[in-house]
Amino acid sequence: MLKEINSIKNQAKKEIEKAKDLKDLDRVFKKYLGKKGQITKVLRSLKDLSKTKRAKTGKAANELKHFLKTEIDQKAQEIESKIKKKAKKEEWVDITLPGKRIEIGHLHPLTQARREVEHIFQLLGFSVIDGPEIESEWYNFDALNIPKDHPARDLWDTLYLKDGKLLRTHTSPNQVRFMEKNQPPLRIIVPGRTFRYEATDASHEVNFYQIEGLMVDRKGKVTIANYKAIIKEFLERFFGKPTKIRLRPSYFPFTVISFEMDVSCPICDEKGCSTCGNSGWVELMGAGMVHPNVFKYSGLNPQKWQGFAFGMGLERLIMVKQRIKDIRFFYNNDIRFLKQF
Ligand code: PHE
């Protein structure tokens, strides 16, 4: 019996040593110390032995039991610390490394520019006003001195709705809307989306943004000189450099006299480049002195009031400043374009 115990010991020791993980070790434990384990069996068979033999064998078996328990415990600790070490090595993080930057979006270039324009005009004493995108024929045309069937309506390619209303072709209707409710003197700009029924190309979109401007005071107080001073100040702040402006005669039914305003090319300073088509000048807006009929339709006495109005394209402003060649970039949702602003 003692021999057998000895061979169990040797065998068990080898197996404990070989155990690679806790599962292996558990198997060894069960094999020797479990309910049906080899040592348990020996201990159970003690009762069949003679007294002297029983004492010796019992002692040896119990010693072996203790011995194996300690061996297994030790091995288990070894395995566990190995696992911990490995995990520590693999899961190590350098907490001093800078974190990954979370990408956040930003405002659309049109929104950025609109806010900049609003800010500059506010500094110049203008209020920022809003108006409806769905407009009546009255405000979009009639009240702006463009009678029905007048060929001047063809200047604006209009998208009509089923109920007779239309998508505003310009922001000018807000001249009348505002003057109906507010007594001059007044200074406003009206930024907003406008719509035209036309084929798109590099400089035309079916919808685009305009900024309407209107300044009215008592007769003789607001002149084209004021317009030139204010617009020059605005452009120099927007483009961030000294600019020249020039006026060319034009025609709008709701202004008299009417003109187009050009700015000296902020890219080449009049030397000629692709932005200005080598002319040195960039056409930026239509403008003029408010027509007496527009005052009349707004419920104001044209004998008493005088002022200027202008309308410029927001996209055009950015295109000139940032040298963007195609208006459609603003609406393509191409992240490569948008990311540059
Ligand atoms: N509404 C005109 C357009 O869209 C621009 C304009 C505004 C002209 C105000 C004169 C005065 O073409």
Side-chain angles (χ1 to χ4, degrees), residues 80-176:
E80 269 168 12
S81 85
K82 251 190 211 159
I83 291 173
K84 269 190 199 154
K85 256 191 207 156
K86 201 173 156 213
K88 235 187 185 175
K89 219 176 172 183
E90 281 171 3
E91 290 165 20
W92 181 81
V93 272
D94 185 350
I95 55 164
T96 65
L97 275 179
K100 268 192 196 151
R101 190 186 284 273
I102 296 170
E103 253 198 87
I104 46 171
H106 60 69
L107 293 175
H108 193 280
L110 280 171
T111 309
Q112 290 180 32
R114 195 202 72 224
R115 289 191 180 178
E116 200 183 338
V117 171
E118 288 175 0
H119 179 68
I120 297 172
F121 273 106
Q122 280 172 329
L123 293 177
L124 298 173
F126 283 70
S127 303
V128 180
I129 304 299
D130 203 11
E133 290 178 359
I134 293 176
E135 196 46 285
S136 63
E137 274 197 67
W138 168 257
Y139 283 113
N140 200 78
F141 292 125
D142 305 69
L144 290 170
N145 199 35
I146 317 170
K148 282 203 172 43
D149 303 324
H150 192 280
R153 280 201 193 205
D154 299 342
L155 289 175
W156 292 274
D157 311 283
T158 311
L159 288 157
Y160 286 92
L161 303 178
K162 279 189 186 138
D163 61 1
K165 294 210 165 160
L166 50 83
L167 297 178
R168 67 178 173 195
T169 58
H170 50 182
T171 41
S172 297
N174 297 294
Q175 293 181 28
V176 179

Side-chain angles (χ1 to χ4, degrees), residues 121 126 144 171-176 179 186 188-190 211-217 222-224 226-228 231 247 252 254-261 285-291 294-295 306-312:
F121 273 106
F126 283 70
L144 290 170
T171 41
S172 297
N174 297 294
Q175 293 181 28
V176 179
M179 286 194 288
L186 55 90
I188 58 163
I189 59 162
V190 191
I211 293 149
E212 192 77 11
L214 179 68
M215 179 171 175
V216 176
D217 207 325
V222 181
T223 66
I224 294 176
N226 298 114
Y227 165 81
K228 286 171 77 175
I231 287 302
L247 308 184
F252 298 102
F254 36 91
T255 47
V256 60
I257 59 171
S258 307
F259 42 85
E260 298 280 344
M261 192 229 74
M285 68 179 89
M289 299 305 288
V290 178
H291 195 286
V294 175
F295 283 129
Q306 179 180 315
F308 64 76
F310 61 84
M312 58 182 155

Side-chain angles (χ1 to χ4, degrees), residues 183-325:
Q183 195 67 14
L186 55 90
R187 288 181 215 199
I188 58 163
I189 59 162
V190 191
R193 199 177 190 179
T194 52
F195 307 83
R196 289 193 194 169
Y197 178 64
E198 61 187 350
T200 58
D201 63 28
S203 45
H204 297 86
E205 253 296 355
V206 286
N207 74 152
F208 55 99
Y209 283 81
Q210 278 195 338
I211 293 149
E212 192 77 11
L214 179 68
M215 179 171 175
V216 176
D217 207 325
R218 284 184 193 286
K219 199 142 207 154
K221 274 196 118 182
V222 181
T223 66
I224 294 176
N226 298 114
Y227 165 81
K228 286 171 77 175
I230 283 169
I231 287 302
K232 190 167 186 300
E233 182 65 31
F234 161 71
L235 293 172
E236 292 192 338
R237 290 193 193 205
F238 185 80
F239 290 123
K241 54 164 28 176
T243 53
K244 289 189 216 161
I245 59 171
R246 71 179 186 193
L247 308 184
R248 284 179 294 108
S250 185
Y251 168 75
F252 298 102
F254 36 91
T255 47
V256 60
I257 59 171
S258 307
F259 42 85
E260 298 280 344
M261 192 229 74
D262 301 339
V263 65
S264 55
C265 180
I267 302 300
C268 65
D269 295 321
E270 278 178 83
K271 285 184 199 78
C273 68
S274 62
T275 295
C276 58
N278 277 320
S279 70
W281 293 85
V282 181
E283 190 183 316
L284 266 191
M285 68 179 89
M289 299 305 288
V290 178
H291 195 286
N293 285 351
V294 175
F295 283 129
K296 241 186 356 213
Y297 290 131
S298 308
L300 294 176
N301 182 355
Q303 303 302 321
K304 213 168 140 192
W305 306 105
Q306 179 180 315
F308 64 76
F310 61 84
M312 58 182 155
L314 182 60
E315 288 86 350
R316 183 127 181 87
L317 273 177
I318 315 171
M319 285 167 81
V320 172
K321 186 174 177 178
Q322 310 275 12
R323 299 192 219 190
I324 297 162
K325 295 271 179 264

